[in-house]
Amino acid sequence: MATRSKAYRTAAEKIDRDNLYTPLEAVRLAKDTSVTKWDATVEVAFRLGVDPRKADQMVRGTVILPHGTGKTARVLVFATGERAEQARAAGADVVGGDELIDQVAAGFTDFDSAVATPDLMGKVGRLGKVLGPRGLMPNPKTGTVTMDVAKAVSEIKGGKIEFRVDKHSNLHFIIGKVSFSEEALVENYAAAIEEVLRLKPSASKGRYISKATLTTTMGPGIPVDQSKTTKLLGEDEA
């Protein structure tokens, strides 16, 4: 623990907390200040100027990261018959109907995303207490309640992620791994912020994205200039 703490302090010393880094600069710092011996995850957190307690200010959606997250998602699909076969062919990890619903109700949550066909949602809906707190409940707004289960599975396996503002008005995104190139991480960041901006609620007043912070697993936070939203790879300040 002492070694990790020393590594963290050394990394933190390289970051000017009073400076807002361009996304490209932040990515470079993230790669330079990673403190783990393994390939750390790179994340970005946005603080939004919304009140998530109000339905007209909820920010929720999906985005397909052009370079994926660096992790192959485990996808569970609630489907039967032909749709179940299509899900398996598309690469779903767990597929089933009533028996799988019972298994999840008993506490099985070893998966990263869940998809369901509309005809099973009457039964899947009863899993809210298990899936809801983990952000795993299928939802038509995020494309995870659909008859086209093959497409849904392929998109999730290809880097599609769901996001939802939390009660503190924060959004968290995984944008890749430290081993990703600078260009890949910046392009994933750009895809994330573009979709967040597109979903700005009309009821949101004032500054919409008030803060952005880039971090690596167990690493220090890097303040990002959230106003930089276009031509991010052209902003080479080094």
Side-chain angles (χ1 to χ4, degrees), residues 15-177:
I15 300 168
D16 181 356
R17 300 287 183 181
D18 296 322
N19 182 48
L20 290 178
Y21 295 93
T22 68
L24 180 55
E25 289 174 325
V27 161
R28 287 175 175 160
L29 264 177
K31 291 169 71 68
D32 184 48
T33 59
S34 178
V35 298
T36 63
K37 294 182 179 179
W38 63 86
D39 190 10
T41 297
V42 182
E43 299 183 22
V44 63
F46 297 117
R47 172 67 63 82
L48 302 185
V50 299
D51 184 348
R53 296 172 299 178
K54 298 179 179 178
D56 61 354
Q57 294 188 44
M58 174 56 65
V59 178
R60 178 177 186 173
T62 63
V63 61
I64 297 178
L65 299 178
H67 301 283
T69 64
K71 175 185 177 181
T72 301
R74 284 181 54 80
V75 184
L76 175 147
V77 178
F78 296 108
T80 59
E82 182 182 355
R83 302 300 177 187
E85 293 305 314
Q86 292 173 355
R88 293 188 183 96
D93 299 277
V94 187
V95 182
D98 289 344
E99 290 184 3
L100 181 57
I101 291 172
D102 291 341
Q103 189 177 353
V104 173
F108 173 68
T109 57
D110 187 20
F111 50 94
D112 304 300
S113 187
V115 176
T117 53
D119 57 299
L120 289 182
M121 279 306 295
K123 297 177 180 179
V124 174
R126 297 197 293 268
L127 301 176
K129 291 183 179 179
V130 178
L131 300 180
R134 296 172 174 80
L136 295 173
M137 178 60 75
N139 189 305
K141 292 183 179 179
T142 59
T144 50
V145 176
T146 176
M147 292 300 288
D148 195 348
V149 291
K151 178 182 178 182
V153 171
S154 296
E155 287 183 343
I156 295 168
K157 290 284 187 178
K160 179 180 179 179
I161 58 174
E162 296 183 29
F163 57 88
R164 180 176 182 172
V165 66
D166 66 20
K167 62 181 181 180
H168 301 296
S169 303
N170 295 318
L171 276 179
H172 297 270
F173 290 86
I174 293 175
I175 62 169
K177 295 286 188 176

Side-chain angles (χ1 to χ4, degrees), residues 23 44 46 48 63 65 163 171 173 175 186-200 208-209 211-212 224-230 232:
V44 63
F46 297 117
L48 302 185
V63 61
L65 299 178
F163 57 88
L171 276 179
F173 290 86
I175 62 169
V186 170
E187 287 173 357
N188 278 356
Y189 172 90
I193 196 170
E194 179 181 2
E195 186 61 14
V196 173
L197 290 170
R198 190 185 72 81
L199 293 174
K200 178 183 178 181
Y208 176 46
I209 301 179
K211 185 178 181 181
V224 184
D225 186 349
Q226 77 280 0
S227 69
K228 304 291 186 181
T229 60
T230 59
L232 301 185

